[in-house]
Amino acid sequence: MYHKKTYDCGRAVVVIKYYPVQRGPKEERGKRARSPDEIRRWDSQKRARTVQRLILANFEEDDYHLTLTYRQDERPEGLEEAKKRLSTFIGKMRAAYKKKDLPFKWVAVTEQGQKGAYHHHLIIQNIRSGIDTDKLVRKCWPWGRPMFVLLDDGDYEQLADYLVKKETKEKEEPGKNQMYYSRSRNLIVPQPKIEKIYQKRWKPEPKAPKGFEIEKGSVVSGENPVTGLPWQRYILIRTTRRRP
């Protein structure tokens, strides 16, 4: 028996197949102890998958991956000041959207580059009517030059990995699983549905149910470093698209 966990993200469904602890095939259980580095990588991957589901459920192609940079003479002195400026930007954007009766949705990560300069990565909706998103962003960010990149289908996993791996690394407190990204409270947060599948193993190549197609390159298999048991993950895309 294995478990099938699905996250309905609107236009996409994330599927994860895994064995519950001590329920996998005997030959697959507890192969060896995992190193702290493996556990940290596993935790980072879980954070990235959480961000990926948020992006899938709330944004779509032609929305923006936005990078907010600072002019050299406008750079913040530290992380707290950088966070305050990002908060000011978000507040101005939210107020402008509210005037148009539109919600402002965002996911953000603050990064410190190798030379010590801070900048911010955000995912925001590119509003097609009622607001000139490009112009508004430039107005609300007076400290430097915003850079806009349109989201493309199929790139969300790489983007989520990038956001999590490029997050600002603050000193971690022992025993705490810190989340390095921030997001608006109005995002749709997909909740898992878990089914028990009474079969010993899943198929190496899954098949898409009617009304879906498997996103190219999304089928990934691996091993849980904690349990030593295998897992499989892939993304189903609805053939009829709808904006969240």
Side-chain angles (χ1 to χ4, degrees):
M1 181 192 75
Y2 64 86
H3 285 182
K4 178 182 177 182
K5 182 185 293 185
T6 56
Y7 291 88
D8 190 337
C9 301
R11 62 192 184 80
V13 175
V14 178
V15 181
I16 304 171
K17 297 176 181 178
Y18 64 97
Y19 293 103
V21 178
Q22 300 304 321
R23 288 290 184 178
K26 291 183 179 180
E27 65 273 16
E28 300 284 357
R29 298 180 193 170
K31 289 182 179 179
R32 63 181 175 84
R34 266 49 186 180
S35 70
D37 284 343
E38 287 178 302
I39 301 298
R40 280 194 290 270
R41 284 195 297 269
W42 176 254
D43 288 340
S44 179
Q45 290 171 5
K46 288 196 296 184
R47 290 197 297 273
R49 299 293 76 78
T50 298
V51 174
Q52 181 190 28
R53 293 193 295 270
L54 289 174
I55 296 173
L56 284 168
N58 295 276
F59 307 96
E60 63 175 30
E61 58 180 319
D62 293 336
D63 283 334
Y64 279 135
H65 171 200
L66 176 65
T67 304
L68 302 177
T69 62
Y70 293 92
R71 288 184 290 272
Q72 187 169 358
D73 59 346
E74 297 275 5
R75 290 175 179 172
E77 294 183 358
L79 177 61
E80 290 307 313
E81 184 180 346
K83 287 182 176 181
K84 287 180 181 178
R85 292 190 188 181
L86 176 62
S87 179
T88 298
F89 167 79
I90 290 171
K92 290 180 178 179
M93 292 289 291
R94 185 189 296 117
Y97 274 56
K98 188 175 181 179
K99 288 181 180 178
K100 299 290 185 179
D101 293 323
L102 295 170
F104 179 54
K105 294 185 174 185
W106 56 271
V107 177
V109 171
T110 296
E111 176 188 357
Q112 186 177 20
Q114 293 182 351
K115 295 183 179 180
Y118 290 98
H119 57 277
H120 313 277
H121 295 278
L122 295 91
I123 308 299
I124 66 172
Q125 285 186 334
N126 178 17
I127 304 300
R128 280 75 169 180
S129 61
I131 289 180
D132 186 330
T133 307
D134 299 36
K135 185 176 180 180
L136 180 60
V137 167
R138 292 186 176 95
K139 180 180 178 181
C140 294
W141 187 254
W143 299 287
R145 178 181 297 178
M147 294 183 289
F148 303 84
V149 176
L150 293 175
L151 297 183
D152 291 323
D153 276 356
D155 291 343
Y156 297 164
E157 181 168 0
Q158 292 181 352
L159 178 57
D161 287 338
Y162 178 82
L163 291 177
V164 170
K165 289 176 183 177
K166 291 295 184 181
E167 63 207 358
T168 299
K169 298 296 189 297
E170 299 179 72
K171 186 177 180 180
E172 295 188 28
E173 296 182 27
K176 288 192 176 182
N177 182 19
Q178 295 186 341
M179 304 299 286
Y180 297 95
Y181 66 91
S182 56
R183 64 174 180 85
S184 58
R185 295 181 180 180
N186 59 357
L187 293 188
I188 298 169
V189 181
Q191 299 300 314
K193 175 184 176 183
I194 300 177
E195 303 173 74
K196 294 180 180 179
I197 308 298
Y198 292 95
Q199 296 177 8
K200 186 176 180 180
R201 295 183 182 275
W202 52 76
K203 295 180 179 179
E205 295 296 330
K207 292 184 178 180
K210 186 177 180 180
F212 291 87
E213 60 185 12
I214 296 177
E215 184 179 86
K216 186 178 180 180
S218 72
V219 181
V220 182
S221 297
E223 186 179 279
N224 187 315
V226 178
T227 65
L229 296 173
W231 54 265
Q232 181 187 73
R233 176 172 49 81
Y234 54 92
I235 297 175
L236 297 170
I237 302 295
R238 284 189 169 86
T239 52
T240 302
R241 311 296 280 283
R242 67 177 188 267
R243 186 175 181 82

